[in-house]
Amino acid sequence: MKTLKPLNGNQTIAEATRQVDPDVIAAYPITPSTAIVESIAQFKADGLITGEFVCPESEHSAMSVCIGAASAGGRVMTATSSQGLALMWEMLYIAAGLRLPIVAGIANRALSAPINIHGDHSDTMGARDSGWIHLYSENCQEAYDNFIQAFRIAEHMDVRTPVFVGLDGFIISHSVEVVQVEDDAEVKKFIGEYKPVYSLLDMSRKITVGPLDFTDYYFEHKRSQIEGIENAPAVIEQVGKEFGLTFGRPYGFFEEYRMEDAETAIVVMSSAAGTGKDAVDELRQEGLKIGLLKPRVFRPFPYQKMAEALKKMKAVAVLDRASSPGAFGAPLFTEIRNALYDYAERPKVINYVYGLGGRDIKVEHFKEVGAKLEKIRKTGKVEEMCGYLNLRES
Amino acid sequence: MAVRLKDLTKIEDKLVAGHGMCLGCGIPLIFKVILRATEDPIIAANATGCLEVCTTIYPRTAWNMNWIHSAFENAASTIAGVEAMYKSLKKKGQIPADKKIKFMAMGGDGGTYDIGLQALSGAVERGHNFVYVCYDNNVYANTGGQRSSATPLGASATTDPAGAKSAGKIQGRKDLTKIMAAHNIPYAAQASPARWLDLYNKAEKAFKADGPAFLNVMCICPTEWKYESSMGIRLAQMALDACVWPLYEVEKGKYKINFKPKEKKPVLEWLKPQGRFRHLFKEGNAWMLEAIQKDVDKEWDELLKMEAPASK
């Protein structure tokens, strides 16, 4: 039965996992995603999930168990954060390279050093070339909805690529919201049966998984892997529409907020988008024609759609909750600026790094950005291309 | 009835011809015996290393069975995942209840003693039902002879070479078999390609064990030990005669030594034919020879004491 439940972000991932009931779950606890693993363990102890739950001795082994299990022909999930994801790094590429549709809930958290347990996107952004699909969630409801859709996307025969579902550490993982939890049977119906392609447990066909690939084949195999994630946009779109028709909450590549007549825009992912929308409302009342665009899908990057949505702006500020030391701008900024390059008419694009290590971002900070964009709109001049928000510089 | 070699030859090979392992390599000898020691189908995870590299150069494979390689340090956790999926699908009725499959992980000493020890310890502690086979050739042979924690005292390795001021590795070997036995698993054993029947019997016990089992098999390596490749089995026998590599098993905590030489040979006989110990016979390095003999004696005496009184 569908119900409204007070759940925090971690609980929504655990709840969705219980409903999907993967064949194997392998996860290692780490702040702030520990509660996902604990809740799943409790579900298992209470007989509410039928799949095997493995709690290995490290995240590296957790992802290795996922890889072994997924190669054995069933549905697999895990969850982690920060250093845990970093420890999995080697295995992330292998999961994607072997085309295993593993789904991972990531309570996004800063990376050491200095050690910090709070939310930023350094962990998944650090794994952005690992071949995984990235979905990001603004709130608990989106985390729940994204997590369910992730199985459909990952397991689609044209895609067969693992998926991260990001939710901001503490800000979402530990905040309780009222979440629409769908009916167990409806969720199972939406997900459908798992279809193994090659399985180690299929004794009628002997297979060698993960052979050594030299100069004569490696390149072609990597190319075919890339094709999987290139096929993902059509599937993400279809699954998002179908999710809307089934459960009443449709999803696309990004959300546009008050963008219809906007002349400037702020681009921001995940939980900060909520604060950003409040700031846009206030700035609108003050007479600024400003909107907000919240990316949901970072890999594959929906560059054409994103550029179409932003090309008519006069100025755009891209806010990144991760840095890319030494690069010309942070990850989201470089994607968006790159996507707009071929348009004759395009906005000025600036970048702010914000919220590293969980530093709060408030309405006043977004308003600061709005004022900066308005100045650029009026003068056409960019004083500083890449800067920081809410940071003590001295 | 004891198994006969000629009976084993009638069993279909799971590791077939066409692999690219060195002339005289111990790995295929070892695995051709082990893979015959169960009638059930086997699924194996292989750590990165000689066995993995030499058997699966795409688009060819030497594996006549289901096999997976994912990385270097995680053969145990990879097979744990396969085994978990087996249990899950069996419970859900997607695999028939009477379908028996054996799970196995394989790695060299690099992938087992060193980088893979954590994953192995974890998988064994969790009680996944699988057999882990370490083929221990004392060195990272796949990458050309770097030291491992299984490299013996006094051996020269490329990352721990003998030189004007070095008599080779100054540390002894990590005693992995005892470490694995200390996990209180149903079965742990050391074996050697010199004794195929002992190896077969141990593999059979390992496959039959109810829970994780560990086999540590000395693997002769002409390339990195630097000896005449035709004398590999004789060299393996010398290791047994000199008590450098004792054959023993630990069943439910009880130690049993499976081979005791009538006359214990000096370790010199084992060291001499091998190029990796050549420097020990140069002037000034005699102290290391003494140290090695002392070390071997100490370990052998300790093992004799550990043996269960009933089987003495």
Side-chain angles (χ1 to χ4, degrees), chain A residues 23 50 52 56-58 60-61 64-65 68-69 71 74 90-91 94 200 203 205-213, chain B residues 43 53 56 58-59 61 64 66-70 73-74 77-78 81-82 84-85 88 91-92 101 118-119 122 126:
Chain A
D23 300 304
T50 60
E52 284 291 308
E57 81 297 336
S58 73
H60 192 283
S61 277
S64 301
V65 168
S71 302
E90 178 193 30
M91 302 316 298
I94 293 170
L200 287 168
M203 290 298 154
R205 180 166 60 171
K206 286 169 187 158
I207 56 167
T208 292
V209 179
L212 177 60
D213 230 15
Chain B
I43 303 174
V53 163
T56 63
Y58 187 88
T61 178
N64 184 24
N66 284 353
W67 180 98
I68 179 170
H69 163 257
S70 69
E73 66 277 58
N74 64 350
S77 34
T78 303
V82 180
M85 185 57 78
S88 181
K91 212 166 18 182
K92 292 182 179 183
I101 299 173
Q118 176 184 317
R126 293 191 303 275

Side-chain angles (χ1 to χ4, degrees), chain A residues 35-53:
Chain A
I36 299 176
V37 189
E38 288 173 335
S39 303
I40 289 169
Q42 193 62 53
F43 286 145
K44 179 69 185 169
D46 294 339
L48 297 174
I49 51 176
T50 60
E52 284 291 308
F53 169 64

Side-chain angles (χ1 to χ4, degrees), chain B residues 36-67:
Chain B
R36 283 174 159 82
T38 176
E39 286 175 2
D40 297 327
I42 303 170
I43 303 174
N46 208 155
T48 310
C50 290
L51 177 58
E52 169 261 333
V53 163
C54 295
T55 52
T56 63
I57 298 177
Y58 187 88
R60 287 172 287 275
T61 178
W63 294 101
N64 184 24
M65 58 184 262
N66 284 353
W67 180 98

